[in-house]
Amino acid sequence: MERILVIGCSGQIGSELTLALRKIYGNKNVFATDIKQPPADILETGPFYLLDVLDYNNLLHFAVRFKITQVYNLAAVLSGNAEKIPQQAWDINMRALMNTLELARDSDAKKLFWPSSIAVFGPTTPRHNTPQLTVMEPNTVYGISKLAGERWGEYYHKRYGVDFRSLRYPGLISYKTEAGGGTTDYAVEIYYEAIRNNRYNCFLREDTALPMMFMDDAINATIKLMDADPAKLSLRSSYNVGGMSFTPRDVANAIRKHRPGFEITYEPDFRQAIADSWPASIDDSVARADWGLSDSFNLDSMTEVMLREIGKKLSNQE
Ligand code: AKB
C-alpha cells in the first residue's frame, strides 16, 4: 500500500496535486505538509503537518513514523524571486532536493517526484521546438539549480537505485492557488486582473512567447509519469513537457472574446531577460512516446475555465 508525502502542499501545484492523489490513494494515505497553512479543503480531507524539508532529521523521522513510500517534493524558490536572493535560492532549492534524495536512501520513501522546469534551458539553446537533448546553459539561478537537480536525480537513480522521476514543467496556469515569484506568473495574474479591473499591466513584452500548461493537464501528466512502468522510462533526468505556446498579446486576445473591453499595457521589468533566455516552445515527443504524455487544454478552452472559475472565486470573496 502506497503512503505518500507531499512537500509544499500549500503552493500552486501542491494545493491541487494533493487532492488528486487523495482521490487515487485514499485520503488518509496522502500526508500533506508545508511550512505554511494549506487551503481549507486540504485540511478537511486528510492529514496535514507543518514540516520543513530543510530539516533533515525531522523529515527522516516523519517518513519512518508514517511509513512513507513516495514523495512529491514541490518546495522551490521560483525564477523571479531567486534572482533577488541568488545564494539563498540556490541553498533552499538544492538542500530541499538533496534531503529528499538522501531520504530515499535512508528510508522506504524510494519513489521521488521532483519538478524541473523549462528554466534548465538558456540563451544558447534552440528556442523553437526545443529538443529533449540539447545545449543547456541556463543563466538564472533558478535554472542552474534545476539543471543541477536533474543531474543529481539521475545520479541517485543510477548509483543508489532511487526511483527518481521528473518533469520540466512549462509555466503552469491555475485558478485555485496563485503562483509566487515566477516569470510565467503574468499568465495567471492577467486573468485575475481581467475580472477585477478589466485591464492588466504586463511585466513582459507583448510578443514574448513561452511554453505554458493548464494545471489539470500538469496534474494528469505528473500522475501518469509516477504510474508509468519503470521499464518504459528511457530518461531519469527530467522529461520535456510542452503544453501550448503563447504570448501576452495572445492571452489578451483570448480574454477579449469574453470581455471585449479588456485592456493591456506593457512595462517589461527584470523578468523580461529571464523570459528571453527560455524556449518559446518545447518538443515533448520523448515523454509522449515513453509514457503517453497528453494534454487537452488550448488557450481558448483554458481561458474560458480561468475566467469562469476566478469570477466565481472573487464574487464569493465579496
Ligand atoms: C517560473 O516562472 O519560475 C516557473 C517555471 C517556468 O518554472 N513558473
Side-chain angles (χ1 to χ4, degrees):
M1 202 232 291
E2 297 294 344
R3 291 167 69 84
I4 296 172
L5 168 59
V6 180
I7 295 165
C9 71
S10 309
Q12 191 198 10
I13 305 171
S15 62
E16 303 207 27
L17 184 60
T18 303
L19 298 181
L21 290 169
R22 283 183 175 163
K23 282 206 180 102
I24 298 168
Y25 295 99
N27 288 349
K28 66 179 190 328
N29 297 317
V30 179
F31 295 78
T33 68
D34 206 304
I35 52 172
K36 56 179 194 239
Q37 285 298 316
D41 51 6
I42 288 190
L43 284 174
E44 284 156 11
T45 54
F48 168 77
Y49 292 86
L50 286 170
L51 181 74
D52 183 356
V53 64
L54 300 182
D55 180 344
Y56 185 68
N57 287 337
N58 252 340
L59 179 67
L60 178 60
H61 185 254
F62 189 98
V64 172
R65 177 176 167 207
F66 294 113
K67 301 185 171 55
I68 298 298
T69 58
Q70 290 188 26
V71 176
Y72 290 75
N73 177 0
L74 309 172
V77 182
L78 296 185
S79 57
N81 279 350
E83 290 309 302
K84 297 178 192 154
I85 47 162
Q87 299 295 334
Q88 278 161 277
W90 167 260
D91 182 54
I92 293 169
N93 288 354
M94 293 316 294
R95 268 203 298 139
L97 170 64
M98 297 312 285
N99 281 354
T100 46
L101 286 171
E102 280 294 292
L103 181 72
R105 287 180 68 196
D106 289 345
S107 76
D108 292 333
K110 300 279 177 231
K111 195 167 182 179
L112 171 60
F113 178 80
W114 177 79
S116 185
S117 162
I118 54 159
V120 291
F121 301 113
T124 52
T125 301
R127 252 177 77 69
H128 297 280
N129 216 20
T130 301
Q132 176 71 46
L133 296 175
T134 185
V135 179
M136 297 169 93
E137 295 185 312
N139 60 4
T140 63
V141 67
Y142 174 69
I144 297 168
S145 73
K146 288 295 182 190
L147 180 55
E150 288 186 8
R151 304 319 307 148
W152 276 112
E154 188 192 82
Y155 181 87
Y156 268 66
H157 172 70
K158 291 210 166 113
R159 174 115 196 232
Y160 304 117
V162 173
D163 192 355
F164 177 83
R165 303 182 185 207
S166 175
L167 298 175
R168 290 174 182 155
Y169 286 134
L172 296 182
I173 298 166
S174 63
Y175 53 84
K176 185 177 175 194
T177 307
E178 283 185 66
T183 301
T184 57
D185 291 8
Y186 91 83
V188 175
E189 288 172 14
I190 193 169
Y191 291 107
Y192 278 87
E193 291 309 302
I195 301 284
R196 285 191 186 112
N197 303 315
N198 220 21
R199 65 185 327 280
Y200 178 61
N201 187 28
C202 185
F203 59 76
L204 296 182
R205 262 192 340 258
E206 63 182 319
D207 59 350
T208 310
L210 286 169
M212 301 275 184
M213 188 173 235
F214 189 52
M215 186 60 82
D216 290 23
D217 282 336
I219 300 287
N220 286 339
T222 307
I223 289 171
K224 214 168 189 180
L225 171 68
M226 287 297 270
D227 271 354
D229 175 353
K232 297 242 165 79
L233 303 181
S234 65
L235 287 171
R236 288 301 188 139
S237 51
S238 190
Y239 281 94
N240 275 9
V241 173
M244 52 191 128
S245 176
F246 55 74
T247 65
R249 187 176 45 215
D250 296 332
V251 195
N253 287 336
I255 291 174
R256 280 192 198 108
K257 291 181 191 163
H258 303 264
R259 305 177 69 88
F262 178 70
E263 281 174 32
I264 185 162
T265 46
Y266 301 94
E267 206 175 322
D269 68 13
F270 71 100
R271 287 167 285 193
Q272 184 66 51
I274 301 177
D276 287 342
S277 77
W278 288 354
S281 59
I282 296 277
D283 171 3
D284 56 17
S285 52
V286 180
R288 288 176 190 271
D290 277 12
W291 48 271
L293 169 70
S294 61
D295 42 54
S296 48
F297 282 86
N298 60 27
L299 178 56
D300 282 333
S301 53
M302 178 180 79
T303 297
E304 205 177 310
V305 179
M306 288 294 283
L307 291 176
R308 187 184 65 228
E309 295 301 324
I310 293 170
K312 275 195 233 160
K313 183 172 161 179
L314 296 183
S315 64
N316 286 341
Q317 284 170 5
E318 271 164 15

